[in-house]
Structure formats: structure tokens, C-alpha cells
Amino acid sequence: MTDACGNDALCKQVFVWTQNQWLANSSYVIIIKPLRVIGIIVVAMLIRWLLHRAITRLTASTSRAAMPALLKPLKERVAETAEDAQYIPERRRQRAEAIGSVLRSFVSAVVFTMAALLLMGEFGFNLAPLLASAGIVGVALGFGAQSLVKDLIAGLFMLLEDQYGVGDTVDLGEAIGVVESVGLRITTVRDSRGVLWYIRNGEIVRVGNKSQGWAMVVIDIPIGFVNSEEAINVLKGAAIAIAEHPEHQTEFIEPPDVVGVEQLTVDGAVIRTIAKTTADSQATVQRELRRTLNEAMESSGLSGRIAASRMVPRSSVPPPWYTAPENSSPSIGEQPPGGAA
């Protein structure tokens, strides 16, 4: 036993059990090595399951009033009122699910990579050249895939900052439309003509989100040369009436206001009306308010007076104070002073 196993206690124990020198010498490979491999796999699966469970619970808590600070947009990490805390929009839930999916994929990749390296070490692979080669390949891929890394980082910060989400109407420069899907690398937007745009997150320089918070409706009504105070009173009454209508009452955040004469043109004055509405109701309120203001102007009789004020007769006779220059040539159709040419 001493000649076969030396001071190896496991080898001696196996030799006592089996009385076989080959099994005793191979005890480490047959017993210890498989147990270590199985242990590495089990521990990796356990760590992955625990981390996935923690991420799932973190993202699932968005369905309740309290929201984790990790998933809260960076611009909203301030004290919220009780009313705001009770409102968890659907887009925030979708963004939390997207972040959770990314975190779970990242955790799985890291855990399984470390487990694979440990397993390769157990089987006798020399990891030093492998890690050195992986580092060189990583540097090469980093230089060659700079745009991909840029897109991934931009997409991650876009999700964390909650710049836009699925269903939002956004202005991304050349693409203006409704967001249909959001990913770490690509954002798809469908415009008003039905064209689906695929935009890399790294190429998005600015984002105009028309679906967050509130929106402002601005309507300019030309009134010609009629009395501006009378037109303002008519428009103000029509705007307040539509704001108090039960069908549109919830769409207004603040009562509409007729701010007065916005500009003066050759055709007369222009009256501006503004209204603060919810983001989703901006287009509906704008169309309805424009229709109501137009009907109010017609029913008040101002539309006819506006049209009449624009019909200014133009006389061919110059005014008394006008003096023609001495060297001026006669206009077309005018007889020269000396008779017919």
C-alpha cells in the first residue's frame, strides 16, 4: 500500500476497499475530479438562479407603488408626492422588464463564463495562454466594433434615463413617428406614412418626446381688421365652453387662454389661443378647438366682417400728396406727354 499510494490517504482508503492498485492510484481522477466538476456546475447554477430571482423581484416591484431606485429614471430620482407614487405607468413597467432582461442575460453570461474557465482548469488546460489570447481578441474586437459598443452603451443609458418607450411619439431627427420597439442596439419608429425606421441608438443625437408629461396647443386665428376685443371675447367664450364639456374636460390640464394679438400682417391682426393638455390628447384637442373657434367666429357674424375688411378697393388715381418724379417713364398703357408714340 505504501509503495502504491505513498502518503495519499484517499488512495490508501480506496486500496483497502478494493484491493486494486489501479483504482487506488486513479482515485483522484475517478472520485475527486467528477465531484469538483459537478460542484462547479451546481454552484454556478445556484448563483445564476439566485441572481435571476433577485432581478425578477426587483423588476416585479414596479407593479406596486414603491419603485426601486435602480429602475427609477435618473432625472426622476427625487422625492415624489404621494399622488405621483401611486401612478406607475405602463411604459415604466415595460422599461423595467427590458432592463431586467438585459441584466439576466448579462448575469448568465458572466456566471457561465467563469464556470467554463474553472472547468477547463480542472481538466488540465493551461488558462494563461487562453486568457492572453482572449485579451488580444477582445482588444481587436473593441477597435473593430466601436460602433456596436457605442450603440449598446447609448441604449443602456436610454433605458435608465427613460428617454422614450414603446408607444411614444418621438422626433429623432429624420425619423418622426411612434416607437414600436426599443432594444439595446436598435430602436424602430413608424412614421405617419407607415414607413418603419430602424435607428441605431448610437446615432441618436437628440430626442424630442411628444408623449411625456403635458403638451401645449397653440392656435392662431386671423381676424382681419375687425375689433380685436370683440374677437377675443368670442374666442375666449368658445375655448372655455369646450374645456368645460364633459367629453373633453379630462383632456385639459389648465383652462385655455386667449393671449391676445400675436402679430399684425397686411391682412390684419392674428389672435393666439393656447391650451395646456395631456400629451395623448394634444392632437384631438387641437382639432376640436380649431373647429370650435372657427364655428364661434362664424356664428358671431365676425367672419363676414373679416372678409369684408379684406376687400379694399384699389384706385388708379394717385393721392393728392403724390408727385411723380421728373425723369420717370410712363407706366404701361399710359400716353406719353407729347401724344401717341
Side-chain angles (χ1 to χ4, degrees):
M1 183 185 302
T2 303
D3 295 338
C5 298
N7 296 325
D8 192 348
L10 178 61
C11 178
K12 292 179 180 180
Q13 187 63 41
V14 172
F15 187 81
V16 171
W17 288 343
T18 62
Q19 297 297 319
N20 189 313
Q21 184 178 352
W22 181 83
L23 289 176
N25 292 331
S26 306
S27 59
Y28 180 80
V29 177
I30 297 175
I31 300 176
I32 301 299
K33 192 73 81 170
L35 290 178
R36 290 172 65 98
V37 170
I38 294 174
I40 292 174
I41 296 175
V42 171
V43 171
M45 296 296 293
L46 181 61
I47 294 175
R48 176 181 176 273
W49 178 80
L50 291 175
L51 293 177
H52 278 208
R53 180 178 175 83
I55 294 172
T56 302
R57 294 187 62 181
L58 186 66
T59 55
S61 63
T62 57
S63 60
R64 302 190 295 270
M67 183 176 183
L70 176 63
L71 301 180
K72 187 179 297 184
L74 299 178
K75 59 186 178 183
E76 295 181 4
R77 292 185 182 178
V78 295
E80 296 181 347
T81 62
E83 182 179 357
D84 295 335
Q86 295 295 328
Y87 177 67
I88 305 297
E90 179 67 16
R91 62 191 306 272
R92 181 180 290 181
R93 184 190 64 82
Q94 294 176 352
R95 184 176 59 87
E97 291 181 355
I99 296 176
S101 176
V102 172
L103 291 177
R104 283 190 291 268
S105 300
F106 177 76
V107 165
S108 298
V110 172
V111 171
F112 287 148
T113 300
M114 295 180 64
L117 292 176
L118 292 176
L119 290 175
M120 294 175 66
E122 289 296 328
F123 287 112
F125 288 94
N126 188 4
L127 298 180
L130 180 62
L131 293 177
S133 302
I136 296 174
V137 172
V139 172
L141 290 177
F143 281 107
Q146 293 183 21
S147 60
L148 177 61
V149 176
K150 180 181 178 182
D151 296 339
L152 294 177
I153 295 176
L156 180 60
F157 275 97
M158 180 273 301
L159 289 174
L160 291 175
E161 296 174 357
D162 192 21
Q163 297 178 9
Y164 54 84
V166 177
D168 288 352
T169 302
V170 296
D171 182 355
L172 302 180
E174 294 185 1
I176 303 175
V178 180
V179 179
E180 291 201 347
S181 65
V182 178
L184 281 181
R185 197 181 72 88
I186 292 293
T187 296
T188 58
V189 176
R190 189 174 297 274
D191 63 12
S192 58
R193 298 184 178 181
V195 180
L196 189 63
W197 295 79
Y198 294 87
I199 308 167
R200 287 169 39 198
N201 294 329
E203 295 181 346
I204 299 176
V205 180
R206 61 177 179 86
V207 177
N209 195 325
K210 302 179 181 180
S211 301
Q212 283 185 345
W214 52 271
M216 185 67 71
V217 173
V218 180
I219 298 177
D220 292 334
I221 303 291
I223 63 169
F225 297 95
V226 301
N227 188 286
S228 60
E229 292 295 332
E230 185 178 357
I232 289 174
N233 293 331
V234 171
L235 295 176
K236 186 176 296 185
I240 294 176
I242 190 176
E244 295 177 351
H245 194 279
E247 185 178 354
H248 304 286
Q249 190 173 10
T250 59
E251 298 173 347
F252 287 86
I253 298 178
E254 295 179 359
D257 184 25
V258 181
V259 296
V261 178
E262 177 64 21
Q263 59 179 335
L264 294 174
T265 65
V266 293
D267 294 327
V270 177
I271 302 296
R272 169 161 294 184
T273 303
I274 61 174
K276 191 174 183 179
T277 67
T278 59
D280 297 335
S281 307
Q282 181 186 20
T284 303
V285 171
Q286 187 169 9
R287 288 191 294 265
E288 188 65 22
L289 192 59
R290 187 181 290 115
R291 181 187 64 82
T292 303
L293 295 180
N294 186 36
E295 291 179 354
M297 295 291 289
E298 292 179 355
S299 61
S300 64
L302 292 178
S303 295
R305 293 165 55 185
I306 293 173
S309 66
R310 292 174 179 172
M311 298 174 61
V312 180
R314 292 191 175 146
S315 175
S316 59
V317 179
W321 47 264
Y322 176 76
T323 303
E326 296 180 357
N327 297 330
S328 62
S329 59
S331 60
I332 298 176
E334 182 181 351
Q335 291 286 342

